[in-house]
Amino acid sequence: MENKGISQAVIGRLPRYFRYLGELKDQGIERVSSQELSDIMKVTASQIRQDFNNFGGFGQQGYGYKVEYLYGEIGKILGLDQTHNLIIIGAGNLGQALANYMNFERRGFLFRGIFDNNPALYGRKIRDMEVLPMRELPSFVRENEIDIAVLTIPKNCAVEVAEELVREGIRGIWNFAHVDLNVPPDVQVENVHLSDSLMKLTYNINRYETHYDA
């Protein structure tokens, strides 16, 4: 499906649609209207229809959406009809927490290994996976067909590690290091800045208090 013209805002809403539709499916709900989705997600019904029209619609006038079908189609758009081999680089607290997040497997992300450059961590088991030294990274990526790497390492070494991953053919990087990565256009990077999210929260708290105290 050609989707180069689709905005990042629309793409950013797709995982939410997928999550809420999954909950409806688990509840045995077979059909949902854009207005019902709007009430659940706090996105206007018009916006929902516009978002879905980017991908061909999926609905039927006066009928709404078939939950299971729509769930499956959005899953395909997100690439969740395929499996992805994933490694984590950085076996600190955040890396261990992500390694223990079982929902990855439910979505087709297969945790294959975890790496660190701290010899004190070598051999420690996390989810039955031994922490491996960084020197083994290149051969591991090639031999296990790893396509996604998660970086939970300090920013001063993230750029060098990202360059190594690119050389070994990695296709995507989930970047928790607070640094911008300069990678080729065929390598996708999703940056996660936890402090940015927290500051957005405090902004909204302050905006709410200012509005209601006025």
Side-chain angles (χ1 to χ4, degrees):
M1 179 180 294
E2 184 64 38
N3 59 12
K4 290 183 179 178
I6 296 173
S7 74
Q8 288 297 312
V10 173
I11 295 168
R13 284 190 287 272
L14 289 178
R16 289 190 68 217
Y17 291 131
F18 185 78
R19 175 160 48 89
Y20 281 109
L21 286 164
E23 292 174 0
L24 293 175
K25 186 171 74 73
D26 290 344
Q27 294 168 23
I29 296 173
E30 296 182 357
R31 191 174 68 186
V32 65
S33 69
S34 55
Q35 186 57 56
E36 287 168 332
L37 269 179
S38 171
D39 294 341
I40 296 169
M41 296 185 57
K42 311 306 179 187
V43 176
T44 66
S46 174
Q47 182 67 72
I48 290 170
R49 291 192 293 270
Q50 289 178 36
D51 288 351
F52 291 167
N53 283 338
N54 283 289
F55 304 96
F58 308 122
Q60 181 178 334
Q61 186 71 30
Y63 181 86
Y65 304 98
K66 292 182 178 179
V67 170
E68 187 165 0
Y69 172 76
L70 184 55
Y71 177 79
E73 290 300 303
I74 292 179
K76 290 177 186 176
I77 293 167
L78 290 169
L80 301 180
D81 57 333
Q82 310 167 38
T83 57
H84 299 275
N85 293 321
L86 176 149
I87 57 171
I88 295 173
I89 301 174
N93 291 335
L94 179 56
Q96 291 184 42
L98 291 172
N100 284 304
Y101 182 58
M102 299 295 291
N103 213 31
F104 284 143
E105 280 79 3
R106 289 185 59 205
R107 299 290 183 249
F109 300 100
L110 307 181
F111 174 47
R112 298 300 192 191
I114 185 165
F115 294 80
D116 206 284
N117 63 359
N118 181 357
L121 296 176
Y122 297 165
R124 176 179 295 183
K125 285 198 171 183
I126 301 170
R127 284 270 309 277
D128 294 326
M129 295 278 186
E130 288 190 2
V131 177
L132 300 174
M134 289 295 293
R135 65 176 179 273
E136 296 184 19
L137 179 66
S139 60
F140 189 95
V141 169
R142 292 192 302 271
E143 292 168 6
N144 292 276
E145 300 181 337
I146 303 300
D147 51 356
I148 296 177
V150 184
L151 298 188
T152 62
I153 53 180
K155 63 181 181 180
N156 62 336
C157 54
V159 172
E160 182 180 350
V161 170
E163 290 173 350
E164 184 174 18
L165 290 166
V166 169
R167 287 195 297 271
E168 300 306 329
I170 209 79
R171 296 172 56 202
I173 298 174
W174 199 17
N175 178 32
F176 286 82
H178 287 190
V179 63
D180 292 329
L181 303 176
N182 185 19
V183 300
D186 61 331
V187 178
Q188 306 304 311
V189 176
E190 180 68 22
N191 294 306
V192 182
H193 295 292
L194 298 178
S195 59
D196 287 5
S197 181
L198 189 58
M199 286 185 282
K200 182 180 176 182
L201 175 65
T202 58
Y203 167 81
N204 285 320
I205 290 172
N206 291 337
R207 184 180 64 171
Y208 181 89
E209 290 177 344
T210 300
H211 177 77
Y212 283 95
D213 289 346

